[in-house]
Amino acid sequence: MFGYGKKKEEKAELLELKNIRLNCRPGEKDEVIRQVGQLLYQSGCVDESYIDAMLKRELSFPTNIGNGIALPHGVEEAKKTIKRSGIAVMVFPDGTDWGGEKVKLVIGIAGSGEDHLEILSVIAECLADPADVDRIMGYSAEEIHAMFTGKRCS
C-alpha cells in the first residue's frame, strides 16, 4: 500500500511490528505523544528532536481527527529531522483523554516529502468507519501490521 516512490526492494517498511503497542494504559496526552515519538525515534525514522516537534504541533493544532483517532506528527519545520517515513501505533482499549475527546488509537506519523499525504490517505481509507477503530481493539499486532502495510484493510 505504501510504495512512496521507491522501488519495492528499496522500500523500508512503514510500520514495523515492534512499533505497535497493544493494551496501552491511559495517560497524559503529552506523555502519549512522547511515547509514540520515542517508537519512531528508536526505529530510526526520526531524530530525537522530532518528538519535541510533535508536542509543538499539538499546541498549535490538536491532532485528534474524530472517530477515536489521533495522528500526532511534527510541525512543518521538523521535516528535516525525518530520516525515513514511518508510523507507530498505540492502542488504548479504554481510551485516553486527548483534550476532552476519548481516543482509542494513536498513530504517530513521520512522513518525508510527499509521503505524509499518502500515509494520511491510507489511514483514512483503513479507518473511515468508526466501527473500524472498535474492530482494531481486538486485533493482534500482526493483524494491525497487515492492515497498515496493505496486506489487509479491515
Side-chain angles (χ1 to χ4, degrees):
M1 231 174 205
F2 291 104
Y4 48 88
K6 296 181 182 176
K7 292 180 186 170
K8 201 169 202 160
E9 60 274 7
E10 295 174 6
K11 184 180 83 168
E13 192 158 57
L14 184 75
L15 176 60
E16 298 175 45
L17 204 51
K18 67 180 181 181
N19 284 351
I20 300 170
R21 296 287 187 266
L22 303 176
N23 299 312
C24 298
R25 300 182 80 111
E28 294 291 321
K29 178 171 63 168
D30 286 359
E31 185 54 35
V32 171
I33 293 171
R34 282 187 192 89
Q35 289 172 12
V36 79
Q38 192 69 27
L39 292 172
L40 293 170
Y41 168 64
Q42 289 172 343
S43 62
C45 294
V46 299
D47 291 337
E48 195 168 16
S49 63
Y50 188 77
I51 299 168
D52 289 333
M54 294 172 82
L55 292 164
K56 186 176 178 184
R57 161 69 71 199
E58 198 64 36
L59 291 173
S60 63
F61 189 82
T63 57
N64 51 319
I65 61 166
N67 286 355
I69 304 166
L71 305 175
H73 56 283
V75 292
E76 187 65 32
E77 59 265 22
K79 287 220 179 236
K80 64 185 177 294
T81 66
I82 298 173
K83 297 176 180 180
R84 67 176 177 83
S85 294
I87 64 174
V89 177
M90 295 179 71
V91 178
F92 294 86
D94 296 325
T96 190
D97 181 57
W98 207 272
E101 180 185 340
K102 186 181 260 193
V103 168
K104 291 187 167 192
L105 190 62
V106 175
I107 305 170
I109 300 174
S112 63
E114 297 301 311
D115 292 349
H116 187 79
L117 294 176
E118 185 177 346
I119 292 167
L120 292 175
S121 171
V122 171
I123 290 170
E125 180 183 327
C126 289
L127 301 172
D129 186 321
D132 295 331
V133 175
D134 290 334
R135 191 171 18 259
I136 287 173
M137 295 302 110
Y139 279 7
S140 67
E142 291 78 11
E143 289 171 313
I144 291 171
H145 181 262
M147 184 180 87
F148 284 112
T149 55
K151 298 174 185 83
R152 169 180 132 185
C153 201
S154 74

